[in-house]
Amino acid sequence: MKLTFKSLVFFILFVLIIYKNIFFANALEESIKIPLDYHSDYGVYTSNIQANNHKGLIDVIIDTGSPILIILGDKKICPDCKPYITKKTIPKNTTYHSSNNESLLSTKLKVTFPNNIPIEFDSHVITDGSHNSNIMGISPVSKDWQKYYSLKNIFGKLKIPEKFSFLLCGTKNNALILGDFQSNNKRKKPITKIRTTKLYLNDYYTIKLSGIENHQNSPLIKYYPENYANVIIDSGTGGLIVVPDDDYHYIIEYIKRFYTKHNTTQRLSNDFWYDNYCIKNEQINNKKFPEINLTFPNFYNKNQNITISLKPKTYITSGGCNKGYKRLSFTHYENYKNKTKHKKLPNDTTTDVFILGTPIFEEYGITIDLENPAKVKFFNKDFYCK
């Protein structure tokens, strides 16, 4: 049979369409992009989900520091939180139990993400307690929480690599990418300036801090291999970087001395320096503040460190302030504990808590790779935020 030119063209187009469908189907299996919204007044990032037969969208904080899905169950608990999950959403055969002096309903919820991908979670619905937000927890699951959902199960159900990335760009283009970040990159530009360190999986995503340096790369605080500081990566700590009480004073005094030296005409109040007080943008000139560097063991070379730079625009943030205001994001555990009583932290009597909150996510793209051996990658995100 002799093919005409027209038939040949149609045949080639048909083959290309089939190839395209197969290619993109495979690409979708490698990663899933979940859009995120930024709430500057709290410094947190949220996603809209649907649960069971609830018609409205539920705004949940994406929190790497929490292990479970928590949804507020009653308007009486949080009159300022919107929207609410209705009683019709919660099956009648749920069971009550207590955790952290809070009454919770344990139930199964079928959650649908914005891209219409349904996943069934074992969930908690708060009926009485101090929480004031819906939370989608994606931290590692300890033995105490193994009967509830784990992120590992989600990757298995979706058939994607066991890794996820945060791309937090500010007011738009924010996303949580489940699976391989590069497969979701439409421009296919290679990820640049990748800094990788080992990830430790316990109740939290933890990395080891080897030192804190000033803008000239001289040590402000130096840790030693036998006593590296444990640092929690927590996307639910809005607008703050929490450092151990002792180290906090070294950091603040260094920043304050640098600022005073380079700005002889304007002084900032102690409320700004020591209590995360929000002040007007025009009172702050980022050029008068120093860069601070955090060093971590290099995943690929134990004799070297990687450096994560905290620029003034990173640690002086609008997160947690009203529009037109900024604050210093560094705080210490005693301050943090008093302001976030609902936050569950390891050993509540310790002062050695080190948490990298949302400011670090806003400076770098971050990939948490759970595939053995587990690792964290910090990369330049500017290109992907355009």
Side-chain angles (χ1 to χ4, degrees), residues 59-85:
D59 205 31
V60 292
I61 295 173
I62 303 299
D63 187 2
T64 60
S66 298
I68 57 173
L69 174 65
I70 296 177
I71 296 175
L72 298 169
D74 196 323
K75 192 171 181 177
K76 294 178 181 178
I77 302 168
C78 183
D80 297 324
C81 296
K82 296 179 181 180
Y84 307 95
I85 190 166

Side-chain angles (χ1 to χ4, degrees), residues 13-59:
L13 287 173
F14 175 77
V15 171
L16 288 174
I17 290 170
I18 295 297
Y19 173 80
K20 182 180 179 183
N21 287 338
I22 292 173
F23 175 82
F24 280 108
N26 290 334
L28 282 173
E29 289 182 355
E30 294 177 7
S31 65
I32 292 167
K33 185 175 183 180
I34 300 172
L36 300 179
D37 296 317
Y38 179 53
H39 301 267
S40 61
D41 48 346
Y42 296 104
V44 296
Y45 292 79
T46 64
S47 177
N48 288 318
I49 63 170
Q50 287 184 304
N52 288 359
N53 63 340
H54 181 62
K55 293 181 180 179
L57 294 174
I58 303 167
D59 205 31

